[in-house]
Amino acid sequence: MSDRVKVMTLIVLAVSFLCYTLFLYKENYSSNAEYGTMADKGKRLWQEKNCNACHQIYGLGGYLGPDLTNVYSNRSEAYIKHFLQNGTNIMPAFHLTEQQMNEMLAYFKSIDSSGNASPAKLKPNYDGTIER
Amino acid sequence: MELLKDKKPISHLFVITGLLLLFSTLIFGTIGAFQYVFPGLYRESFSFEKIRPLHVSSAVFWILITACGSVLHYLIKKRNGLWSNKLAQWQWFLFTIAVVVILITYVLGIFGGREYWEFHPYLAIPIIIAWILFLINVIKTIKDFRKQPVYIWMWLTGTVFFLFTYLESYLWLIPYFRSNIVHDMTIQWKSYGSMVGCWNMLIYGCSIYLMDKISGSEKYSYSGISFALYFLGLFNLMFNWGHHIYTLPAPKYIQYVSYGVSMTELLLLGRIIYYWKSSVNTARKLYHILSYRFLLAADLWIFLTLLLAIAMSIPAINIYTHGTHITVAHTMGATIGINTFLLLAFVCNIFKIHKPKTEKRITAGLYITLVALPIFWISLIIAGVLKSNWQMHLSNEVPFSAMMQSIHPFFVVFLISGIILTIGFFVIIGNLLAAYFMKTQEN
Ligand code: HEM
């Protein structure tokens, strides 16, 4: 392989990568938690408390606790608040204020509305792809 | 800073820092595994949301800092020195300060909360600056870009793309990029997937350099096949990250692109099987015996990891593995079995460990890890399979805590094998550092 072929290959790859990247950037599938809203603050809180170390959203995160993508539609607000206030034998009590708990609930509500995270809801095809 | 003053190459400092981080990776990993087995352990003071980032960030920085150190070391060998030692010293200094502060903030419970880079975003600034210094040093040291061996290409592209993907992983700070959870996670895992590919470029580049040294021939690193495989690796780095997010309601083309691209990895698998036997035959290189043994160990794990990775890249299989401990098995299998073993091969070579007694002890350590790692890996896979069964069929009837209770025995095996693995690595780290400092004193 001459240097020229190598450089050309590299350029072709890099340009396709950049195009794919820009294409993905512009695909913001209708935002549901605008900047500064309750849900956005809840997201920041979720990150600042590092809830993700034990919980997953859409299956991604740490694995000591359950996935919480759809906790908002599976459980009542009172139930969720109870966990946030008291923790469990594994989860620490985070002593969130009423305001913070409402922000967290708004965040749960917004991620819940984005789709269902249960892999059981997906249908595998014979060609190896999956169907919603 | 003592070490900075004498004539030792700066790369040694990176490697020693890396080894200390490997030590902390193992300590915090073991505590985390204890928390799996004894629920609620240290719940109030040192719970899992602190332990996990302490473990994972230590691991990531062990890999990154040692990879940078190895690249710098081999560049020094190849080019009789770096363009700027000062720059490398600053890079080391910024990295080290950042890592120390990061670990302290975790203990204090201060987080940025993104997976793998769980520290406050401000702390990304020294890391980005350090990386830019590294990039400048690599480019300036290489200087002449004509007719270079494949590992030079790998170091260059790995360094450039790492900077890009690392910056990309902070796009969430801009509201547009975080306002939709699915879009946010898509970009996040796009950047992470590629980032791992980037540090692998640095590490695989070093291993090709080292294999050249061991075999005494540079034929491979200039060959067409090596470049073909390099471009295949780069192609995968850029486009195969989608398997992290197959189960998200993201556009379908991401699934197709990633699935299709991932299957080209089968070529890599084929090549490994084909060359496995011939690589075993070069065992004659006794002079590099320690590095050689670590390279062989990594070869085996590249094979196992690639097998699992390719399976997980098939969406219809991914829905069973996603969100379970199979993912953890895959991640740790790769970061230990491939990255850690390869990096240790470089460390043995960089430190020039040749004393028979030390060689023997390090080999014993390696054998301990080689026994423990498959048990560790399989216990996680079995736990994952059982969790998967629950996710797919039972989650409506059986509560999460009952499912975790039912897979508890496998966490016990995970913990015990993890402790043995830790002991094996401790033997290796301890002997490497002892031999290194003994040599320093003798000189
Ligand atoms: C060189 C050694 C090691 C490296 C490089 C390493 C690396 C990692 C990485 C990258 C993760 C994140 C996994 C993911 O997100 O899928 C992880 C998670 C973890 N590791 Fe390790 N690890 C090492 C050794 C150990 C050992 C010896 C133990 C236990 C004794 C351990 C216990 C854990 C635990 C409990 C988790 C968290 C799993 C979860 O998310 O729930 N690790 N490790």
Side-chain angles (χ1 to χ4, degrees), chain A residues 62-63, chain B residues 22 29-30 36 52 55 115-116 331-332 335-336 340 418 422:
Chain A
Y63 297 103
Chain B
L22 176 58
T30 306
Y36 256 93
R52 190 177 193 275
H55 173 61
E115 204 168 351
Y116 301 138
T331 317
M332 280 209 266
T335 50
I336 302 173
T340 298
T422 298

Side-chain angles (χ1 to χ4, degrees), chain A residues 53-54 61-64, chain B residues 22 25-26 28-34 36 48 52 55-56 59-60 62-63 115-116 189 325 327-332 335-336 340 376 380 414-415 417-419 421-422 425:
Chain A
C54 296
Y63 297 103
L64 201 56
Chain B
L22 176 58
T25 305
L26 294 160
F28 292 121
T30 306
I31 299 176
F34 266 106
Y36 256 93
F48 199 67
R52 190 177 193 275
H55 173 61
V56 176
V60 169
W62 140 246
I63 294 170
E115 204 168 351
Y116 301 138
W189 287 91
H325 295 87
T327 314
V328 186
H330 169 63
T331 317
M332 280 209 266
T335 50
I336 302 173
T340 298
F376 185 78
L380 282 172
F414 167 66
L415 171 65
S417 56
I419 292 173
L421 189 61
T422 298
F425 279 122

Side-chain angles (χ1 to χ4, degrees), chain B residues 123-140:
Chain B
L123 291 166
I125 296 169
I127 296 171
I128 293 166
I129 297 174
W131 202 270
I132 294 173
L133 301 184
F134 180 58
L135 177 62
I136 296 172
N137 224 353
V138 170
I139 292 176
K140 291 278 194 182

Side-chain angles (χ1 to χ4, degrees), chain B residues 230-243:
Chain B
Y230 154 71
F231 284 120
L232 184 64
L234 192 60
F235 180 52
N236 270 280
L237 173 164
M238 291 168 166
F239 300 104
N240 86 354
W241 45 268
H243 53 89

Side-chain angles (χ1 to χ4, degrees), chain A residues 4-99:
Chain A
R4 222 175 122 154
V5 175
K6 289 175 198 163
V7 171
M8 288 309 289
T9 315
L10 188 61
I11 291 174
V12 168
L13 280 175
V15 169
S16 354
F17 174 69
L18 274 181
C19 293
Y20 191 41
T21 299
L22 292 176
F23 186 74
L24 287 164
Y25 285 176
K26 79 161 212 352
E27 276 238 22
N28 187 353
Y29 339 112
S30 77
S31 53
N32 49 11
E34 298 290 345
Y35 172 66
T37 56
M38 290 279 276
D40 189 46
K41 288 185 185 152
K43 183 186 177 82
R44 282 307 279 267
L45 192 59
W46 169 268
Q47 291 190 189
E48 278 161 19
K49 300 286 176 197
N50 208 16
C51 309
N52 221 53
C54 296
H55 292 290
Q56 309 98 62
I57 295 174
Y58 283 109
L60 292 160
Y63 297 103
L64 201 56
D67 190 300
L68 295 182
T69 319
N70 302 114
V71 71
Y72 191 82
S73 50
N74 294 338
R75 313 280 190 194
S76 69
E77 292 200 356
Y79 177 98
I80 297 174
K81 280 188 171 175
H82 177 83
F83 271 84
L84 296 183
Q85 244 156 6
N86 306 310
T88 68
N89 64 337
I90 300 175
M91 172 171 153
F94 281 95
H95 308 295
L96 300 186
T97 63
E98 189 62 30
Q99 169 73 15

Side-chain angles (χ1 to χ4, degrees), chain B residues 172-202:
Chain B
W172 66 272
L173 289 167
I174 304 168
Y176 168 81
F177 283 97
R178 68 164 186 267
S179 62
N180 180 299
I181 184 76
V182 178
H183 187 247
D184 180 11
M185 291 178 76
T186 304
I187 303 301
Q188 181 185 8
W189 287 91
K190 165 187 185 304
S191 75
Y192 291 175
S194 302
M195 203 186 295
V196 171
C198 294
W199 78 50
N200 280 331
M201 279 276 166
L202 301 184

